[in-house]
C-alpha cells in the first residue's frame, strides 16, 4: 500500500538490436521512455570506464537522435478493415501468439492479406449492389403491370425520354397546377393514401428543364429495367431470375470470404499484434539516441519489473549494457519521477477516487489506504441499512464482473458492505427498524450521533495532520512542516484548542488557562512568522522572500483563515451524523405515506418506491458528501497530488507477457 520505487534505466547496445529491444520493452509493459539525448546532455547518462564499455563511450561524441519516421496510415487502414470484416465471421483465441519482428514482413504480410480480401470483398459488394438495383427495378415494374407495351418499344423512343416517379399527394397537386410550365406528359399510374406513382414523357431537347421541375417538386425517380425486354411483367420476371442467380453468387462469395478468414485467422491476429507492437516500439525508438554502431535508451522502470527487464534484454544480447539509477542520484531537476501506485486488491478500486484529485508525487504518501478506510466508514455511517447496503453490494458486483466496470463496481460493492455493517449496528433493514440494534438507533440518540460524528472527524483530521508532517519531512520542507498551519505548529495549536474546549465543557478545575492561551498565541505567532523562522533555522538569507510589509499582510489573512478553517473543518463532519438521521427520517416520510394508502398493494408499492429513491438519490448525495469531506477537509491537510502517473508504452490489448515467451527464445 504505497508508491512503488522507481529506477531510471540506461540501455546501450548494438544499433542492429534497437528494434527488437524496443519491442521487448513494449511487451513487458514496464518501461516509460524519456529523451535519451536530453539525458546525455544533462550528464545523467553515464557509463563506467572499463574495457567492455570503451566503444560505447567513444561513440557518445557522435550521438544523434533517432530519426527513422514511418507512415502507418495505409497499413492501419487495411488492418482495420480486415479486423472489422473478420469480426463478422470468427474470433481467434490463442494460447501462444507468434510474432513477426521484421517491419517489411509485417507490411508485406498485411498487404498480401488485404489484396486477397479486397478482391473477394469487391466482387461481393458489386453483386450485392447489383442485386439491390435489380430488386428496385422489379418493384418499379410492378407499377406497370397493366401496361402491355413492350419495354423495347418504350426504350426505343427516339425523340422522347420516359421515366417513373414517386411523388407525395401534396406535390402531385402542385404539379397539376403548373402543367403549363412542365414540358412533359404526366400520367398517374398508381395511387395510395400517401403518394402517387407518375409516368412521364419528355422531349429530349427539354429534358434538363423537366428534371429540374421534378426535382424541385421532390419527385423521387424509380429505376427502370431499360436493359430487359418484353412486357413489364416479363421484364420483372427476368429480373427476379437474375436476382436469384445473384443471391446464389453472393452466397458463394460469402462462403469464400468466410473460408478466407478461417484459413487466415491466426495469420491476421499475428499481423495485427505485430503491427501494434511495431507502432508502439516506434514510440520508444523515437526517444532513443544512436550512433553508427550503438543505440542509447533511457526510461523509468518500477522496482518490481527491473529484474525481469534486465534478464530479457540481456538474453537478447549479452553485450547490451544496462545501468539503473535511483531518482535521487539524477543531477537534473527537470526530470519528474513518475508515480506507480501499488495497492492490494481490496483498496485498489479507490485509486480512481485519488486520481480524480491528482496523482501522488513520487515520495509523497499514497492516500489510497487512508481514503478507502475512512470513506467506507463515512458512507456506512451516513447510509447504514442492511437491506439497502446489500442492494448496493450486489449492484457493485454486477458492474465489476458482468459489465467489467472494475473501479466503479469495486467501490460500490465495498460501500455496500460498509452500509450493511452499519445497518446491523443501527438495527435497520430496508428502512424498517425491526432487528436488534447492535450499537445505537440514530433517531433515539440524536445527540450521541452528532457528537460521535464530530469526534470521528477530529480523529481523521489528526491523522491528516500526521500524514502531512510525514510528507513535509520527506520533502525536507521546514517552513510548512514545522511552522505551517498544516505542520507541527498547526497540529499543536489544534490539539491545544481541543484540550481547552474539553476542559471547559467538563469543568475541570485548576487548569492553567492563562499559560495555555499564551502558548496558543505563541503558536499562532510561529505560524505567522513561518517563512523567516524557517529561513533562520536553515541559515538562509534574506529572512523574507518578499518585502516584510507584503508578507505580514498575507500572513495576517492566513492566520484568520487558519482559525476559520480549523473550526469549519471540524464541524463539517457533523454532516456524517446529520445524514445518518436524514436516512432514517426520509424512510419515515415514505412509511407515513404508505400508512395513508387505503390498500395493501398501495402501501407495498410506496415502501418499494421509497427504497428505490433512497438507494438512488440519497445514495448519490451521500457518495458526493463523503467525497467532499475527503477532498476539502482531509486532503488539504496532507495531500498535494502534484505527481505524474507512470505511463509505460504497452499494447492496448490486455495480453499476458507469457504468451510471447516462445518468441523471446527466437530473438
Amino acid at each position: 500500500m504505497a508508491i512503488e520505487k522507481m529506477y531510471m534505466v540506461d540501455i546501450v547496445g548494438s544499433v542492429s538490436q534497437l528494434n527488437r529491444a524496443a519491442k521487448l520493452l513494449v511487451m513487458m509493459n514496464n518501461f516509460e521512455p524519456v529523451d535519451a539525448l536530453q539525458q546525455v546532455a544533462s550528464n545523467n547518462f553515464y557509463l563506467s570506464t572499463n574495457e567492455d564499455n570503451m566503444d560505447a563511450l567513444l561513440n557518445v561524441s557522435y550521438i544523434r537522435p533517432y530519426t527513422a519516421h514511418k507512415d502507418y496510415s495505409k497499413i492501419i487502414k487495411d488492418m482495420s478493415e480486415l479486423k472489422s470484416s473478420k469480426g463478422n465471421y470468427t474470433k481467434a483465441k490463442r494460447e501462444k501468439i507468434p510474432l513477426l519482428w521484421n517491419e517489411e514482413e509485417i507490411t508485406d504480410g498485411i498487404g498480401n492479406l488485404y489484396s486477397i480480401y479486397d478482391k473477394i470483398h469487391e466482387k461481393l459488394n458489386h453483386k450485392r449492389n447489383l442485386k439491390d438495383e435489380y430488386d428496385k427495378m422489379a418493384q418499379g415494374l410492378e407499377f406497370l403491370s397493366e401496361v402491355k407495351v413492350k419495354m423495347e418499344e418504350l426504350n426505343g423512343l427516339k425523340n422522347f425520354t420516359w421515366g417513373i416517379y414517386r411523388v407525395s399527394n401534396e406535390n402531385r397537386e402542385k404539379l397539376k397546377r403548373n402543367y403549363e410550365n412542365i414540358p412533359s406528359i404526366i400520367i398517374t399510374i398508381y395511387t395510395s393514401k400517401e403518394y402517387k406513382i407518375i409516368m412521364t414523357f419528355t422531349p429530349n431537347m427539354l429534358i434538363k428543364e423537366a428534371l429540374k421541375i421534378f426535382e424541385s417538386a421532390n419527385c423521387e425517380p424509380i429505376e427502370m429495367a431499360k436493359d430487359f425486354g418484353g412486357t413489364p411483367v416479363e421484364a420483372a420476371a427476368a429480373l427476379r431470375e437474375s436476382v436469384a442467380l445473384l443471391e446464389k453468387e453472393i452466397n458463394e462469395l460469402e462462403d469464400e470470404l468466410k473460408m478466407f478468414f478461417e484459413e487466415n485467422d491466426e495469420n491476421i491476429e499475428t499481423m495485427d499484434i505485430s503491427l501494434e507492437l511495431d507502432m508502439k516500439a516506434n514510440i520508444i525508438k523515437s526517444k532513443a539516441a544512436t550512433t553508427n554502431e550503438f543505440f542509447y535508451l533511457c526510461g523509468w522502470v518500477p522496482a518490481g519489473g527491473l529484474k525481469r527487464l534486465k534478464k530479457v534484454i540481456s538474453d537478447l544480447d549479452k553485450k547490451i549494457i544496462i545501468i539503473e539509477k535511483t531518482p535521487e542520484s539524477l543531477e537534473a531537476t527537470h526530470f519528474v519521477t513518475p508515480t506507480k501506485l501499488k495497492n492490494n486488491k481490496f483498496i485498489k478500486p479507490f485509486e480512481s477516487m485519488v486520481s480524480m484529485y491528482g496523482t501522488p508525487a513520487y515520495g509523497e504518501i499514497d492516500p489510497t489506504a487512508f481514503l478507502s478506510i475512512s470513506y467506507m466508514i463515512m458512507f456506512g455511517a451516513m447510509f447504514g441499512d442492511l437491506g439497502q447496503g446489500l442492494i448496493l453490494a450486489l449492484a457493485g458486483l454486477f458492474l465489476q464482473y458482468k459489465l467489467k466496470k472494475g473501479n466503479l463496481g469495486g467501490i460500490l460493492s465495498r460501500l455496500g458492505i460498509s452500509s450493511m455493517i452499519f445497518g446491523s449496528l443501527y438495527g435497520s433493514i430496508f428502512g424498517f427498524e425491526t432487528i436488534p440494534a447492535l450499537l445505537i438507533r440514530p433517531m433515539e440518540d440524536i445527540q450521541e450521533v452528532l457528537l460521535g460524528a464530530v469526534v470521528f472527524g477530529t480523529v481523521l483530521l489528526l491523522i491528516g495532520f500526521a500524514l502531512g508532517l510525514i510528507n513535509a519531512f520527506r520533502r525536507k520542507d521546514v517552513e510548512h512542516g514545522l511552522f505551517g498551519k498544516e505542520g507541527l505548529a498547526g497540529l499543536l495549536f489544534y490539539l491545544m484548542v481541543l484540550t481547552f474546549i474539553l476542559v471547559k465543557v467538563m469543568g475541570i478545575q485548576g487548569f492553567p488557562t492563562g499559560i495555555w492561551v499564551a502558548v496558543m498565541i505563541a503558536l499562532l505567532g510561529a505560524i505567522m512568522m513561518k517563512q523567516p523562522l524557517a529561513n533562520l533555522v536553515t541559515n538562509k538569507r534574506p529572512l523574507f522572500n518578499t518585502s516584510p510589509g507584503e508578507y505580514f499582510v498575507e500572513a495576517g489573512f492566513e492566520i484568520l483563515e487558519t482559525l476559520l478553517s480549523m473550526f469549519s473543518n471540524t464541524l463539517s463532519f457533523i454532516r456524517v451524523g446529520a445524514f445518518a438521521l436524514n436516512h432514517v427520517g426520509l424512510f419515515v416520510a415514505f412509511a407515513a405515506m404508505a400508512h395513508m394508502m387505503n390498500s395493501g398493494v398501495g402501501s407495498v408499492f410506496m415502501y418499494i418506491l421509497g427504497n428505490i429513491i433512497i438507494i438512488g438519490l440519497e445514495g448519490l448525495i451521500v457518495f458526493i458528501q463523503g467525497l467532499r469531506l475527503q477532498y476539502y477537509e482531509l486532503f488539504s491537510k496532507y495531500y498535494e497530488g502534484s505527481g505524474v502517473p507512470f505511463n509505460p508504452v504497452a499494447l492496448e490489448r490486455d495480453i499476458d507477457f507469457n504468451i510471447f515467451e516462445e518468441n523471446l527464445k527466437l530473438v
Side-chain angles (χ1 to χ4, degrees):
M1 295 185 291
I3 294 173
E4 190 165 358
K5 186 174 180 60
M6 302 296 293
Y7 288 91
M8 173 66 77
V9 174
D10 301 335
I11 305 173
V12 184
S14 171
V15 72
S16 63
Q17 297 286 11
L18 174 58
N19 185 51
R20 292 194 173 190
K23 289 185 177 181
L24 289 173
L25 292 172
V26 172
M27 287 191 286
M28 282 184 288
N29 189 18
N30 258 326
F31 184 80
E32 180 181 339
V34 298
D35 194 314
L37 200 62
Q38 195 174 10
Q39 279 284 76
V40 173
S42 63
N43 297 320
N44 283 319
F45 198 120
Y46 50 83
L47 301 172
S48 58
T49 306
N50 57 50
E51 187 176 344
D52 293 336
N53 299 347
M54 193 57 64
D55 288 341
L57 282 167
L58 293 173
N59 269 264
V60 169
S61 57
Y62 303 103
I63 199 167
R64 59 185 180 275
Y66 180 83
T67 55
H69 175 71
K70 187 174 181 180
D71 184 9
Y72 289 97
S73 56
K74 173 65 169 60
I75 195 171
I76 289 174
K77 176 180 173 296
D78 292 348
M79 193 70 239
S80 297
E81 190 172 343
L82 278 172
K83 286 195 299 180
S84 177
S85 296
K86 173 177 171 286
N88 298 326
Y89 295 94
T90 180
K91 291 183 179 179
K93 290 183 179 179
R94 303 279 179 255
E95 293 183 0
K96 296 292 180 182
I97 300 178
L99 294 176
L100 297 178
W101 294 87
N102 186 280
E103 296 179 11
E104 291 183 2
E105 278 189 272
I106 298 170
T107 303
D108 293 343
I110 294 176
N112 292 335
L113 283 172
Y114 184 79
S115 177
I116 298 170
Y117 157 80
D118 192 46
K119 288 179 182 178
I120 303 171
H121 190 252
E122 191 175 350
K123 288 181 183 177
L124 183 59
N125 279 343
H126 174 69
K127 298 295 182 183
R128 285 171 174 168
N129 292 335
L130 195 58
K131 173 183 171 294
D132 291 341
E133 184 181 341
Y134 283 4
D135 273 330
K136 290 178 181 178
M137 288 180 180
Q139 292 171 9
L141 287 172
E142 290 177 0
F143 296 116
L144 300 177
S145 58
E146 301 298 325
V147 177
K148 302 305 179 183
V149 179
K150 292 188 176 183
M151 298 298 294
E152 294 93 323
E153 296 179 18
L154 288 172
N155 296 330
L157 295 173
K158 293 181 180 180
N159 299 315
F160 286 85
T161 298
W162 69 282
I164 294 181
Y165 296 89
R166 184 197 306 268
V167 58
S168 66
N169 291 329
E170 181 182 353
N171 287 329
R172 179 69 180 91
E173 293 301 319
K174 291 180 181 178
L175 289 175
K176 280 185 178 181
R177 291 195 296 268
N178 290 279
Y179 267 158
E180 67 276 6
N181 299 320
I182 303 174
S184 304
I185 299 172
I186 300 176
I187 305 170
T188 301
I189 59 175
Y190 179 81
T191 301
S192 73
K193 292 181 179 180
E194 299 177 355
Y195 63 89
K196 287 180 170 58
I197 304 297
I198 62 174
M199 189 173 186
T200 66
F201 293 89
T202 308
N204 291 339
M205 65 180 64
L206 300 174
I207 188 65
K208 289 183 179 180
E209 290 78 357
L211 289 177
K212 288 179 181 179
I213 294 171
F214 294 143
E215 185 178 351
S216 65
N218 293 321
C219 297
E220 179 186 345
I222 298 175
E223 293 292 332
M224 284 292 104
K226 296 189 177 182
D227 295 331
F228 287 78
T231 63
V233 173
E234 293 170 345
L239 280 167
R240 296 297 183 192
E241 290 179 5
S242 297
V243 167
L245 290 174
L246 285 170
E247 286 178 345
K248 183 179 179 181
E249 292 176 1
I250 288 170
N251 290 334
E252 290 174 353
L253 286 169
E254 286 179 341
D255 290 340
E256 186 179 351
L257 194 61
K258 182 179 180 181
M259 186 178 297
F260 164 78
F261 282 118
E262 288 176 350
E263 291 175 351
N264 293 281
D265 188 22
E266 182 176 344
N267 200 12
I268 291 173
E269 188 179 24
T270 295
M271 295 294 174
D272 184 30
I273 297 179
S274 298
L275 174 61
E276 184 184 357
L277 185 59
D278 195 64
M279 293 168 61
K280 295 291 185 179
N282 226 39
I283 297 175
I284 292 180
K285 289 189 288 184
S286 67
K287 298 286 186 179
T290 60
T291 64
N292 291 336
E293 297 181 29
F294 295 97
F295 73 81
Y296 301 80
L297 275 174
C298 300
W300 294 106
V301 179
L306 182 61
K307 184 178 178 181
R308 188 173 194 184
L309 180 143
K310 294 171 71 174
K311 179 182 183 303
V312 170
I313 299 300
S314 296
D315 287 346
L316 171 63
D317 187 344
K318 298 297 182 184
K319 294 182 179 180
I320 287 182
I321 303 166
I322 304 173
I323 300 171
E324 73 268 13
K325 297 165 290 188
T326 61
E328 295 76 19
S329 66
L330 299 178
E331 294 183 13
T333 58
H334 56 272
F335 290 106
V336 179
T337 307
T339 301
K340 183 180 181 183
L341 301 181
K342 187 179 181 181
N343 292 297
N344 60 45
K345 291 183 179 180
F346 182 75
I347 68 173
K348 193 169 184 62
F350 291 92
E351 289 180 1
S352 60
M353 296 177 69
V354 173
S355 64
M356 284 193 298
Y357 188 91
T359 301
Y362 185 77
E364 188 178 13
I365 290 177
D366 175 15
T368 307
F370 180 48
L371 177 141
S372 60
I373 295 170
S374 59
Y375 188 78
M376 284 189 289
I377 294 173
M378 283 184 200
F379 188 91
M382 291 189 283
F383 198 81
D385 189 281
L386 186 59
Q388 294 164 1
L390 177 62
I391 299 298
L392 290 178
L394 293 175
L397 293 174
F398 178 79
L399 286 170
Q400 186 174 4
Y401 295 105
K402 190 69 176 178
L403 300 183
K404 305 302 180 184
K405 304 289 185 181
N407 288 334
L408 179 60
I411 291 171
L412 197 60
S413 61
R414 287 152 179 77
L415 295 182
I417 292 171
S418 177
S419 180
M420 292 172 65
I421 293 172
F422 276 88
S424 301
L425 297 177
Y426 295 163
S428 175
I429 179 169
F430 289 113
F432 297 98
E433 296 183 342
T434 55
I435 59 176
L438 300 180
L439 181 64
I440 194 173
R441 293 197 186 276
M443 276 298 188
E444 296 176 6
D445 303 281
I446 296 176
Q447 185 174 344
E448 287 80 357
V449 168
L450 297 178
L451 183 61
V454 175
V455 172
F456 171 68
T458 302
V459 172
L460 293 184
L461 289 172
L462 290 173
I463 296 174
F465 272 112
L467 295 176
L469 284 174
I470 296 172
N471 280 330
F473 174 76
R474 289 182 175 182
R475 296 193 306 266
K476 299 180 181 179
D477 186 351
V478 175
E479 180 178 340
H480 295 92
L482 285 181
F483 306 110
K485 60 187 177 69
E486 276 88 34
L488 182 60
L491 173 60
L492 291 175
F493 178 78
Y494 186 63
L495 286 171
M496 294 189 75
V497 170
L498 290 177
T499 305
F500 185 80
I501 293 172
L502 186 62
V503 167
K504 293 302 179 182
V505 170
M506 297 181 65
I508 298 176
Q509 301 297 321
F511 184 77
T513 303
I515 297 175
W516 207 259
V517 172
V519 174
M520 286 193 294
I521 293 173
L523 288 171
L524 285 178
I527 294 172
M528 185 172 184
M529 298 291 293
K530 65 180 179 180
Q531 189 180 101
L533 287 174
N535 288 336
L536 188 65
V537 170
T538 57
N539 199 26
K540 291 181 180 179
R541 296 295 184 275
L543 294 179
F544 295 94
N545 298 339
T546 59
S547 66
E550 183 180 341
Y551 173 81
F552 281 115
V553 170
E554 185 178 340
F557 282 106
E558 186 174 359
I559 290 297
L560 181 61
E561 192 269 336
T562 299
L563 295 172
L564 292 175
S565 65
M566 285 185 176
F567 177 76
S568 63
N569 289 165
T570 305
L571 287 187
S572 281
F573 284 90
I574 203 170
R575 71 186 68 209
V576 175
F579 271 99
L581 300 173
N582 177 71
H583 185 70
V584 178
L586 188 58
F587 182 78
V588 169
F590 280 103
M593 287 188 285
H595 288 139
M596 294 170 63
M597 296 284 184
N598 294 324
S599 67
V601 175
S603 297
V604 171
F605 171 77
M606 187 56 65
Y607 283 127
I608 294 173
L609 178 63
N611 273 279
I612 292 173
I613 292 175
I614 290 171
I615 293 171
L617 182 59
E618 190 190 355
L620 178 62
I621 294 173
V622 168
F623 183 91
I624 294 171
Q625 289 298 324
L627 207 57
R628 183 203 175 280
L629 288 172
Q630 289 288 338
Y631 285 171
Y632 292 98
E633 319 302 342
L634 294 175
F635 274 13
S636 61
K637 296 289 180 292
Y638 70 94
Y639 184 56
E640 291 185 1
S642 58
V644 176
F646 177 61
N647 186 27
V649 178
L651 296 173
E652 293 182 6
R653 67 195 76 200
D654 186 17
I655 298 179
D656 189 347
F657 179 79
N658 293 322
I659 204 169
F660 301 114
E661 289 290 353
E662 290 180 357
N663 296 279
L664 302 184
K665 298 172 185 176
L666 299 175
V667 176

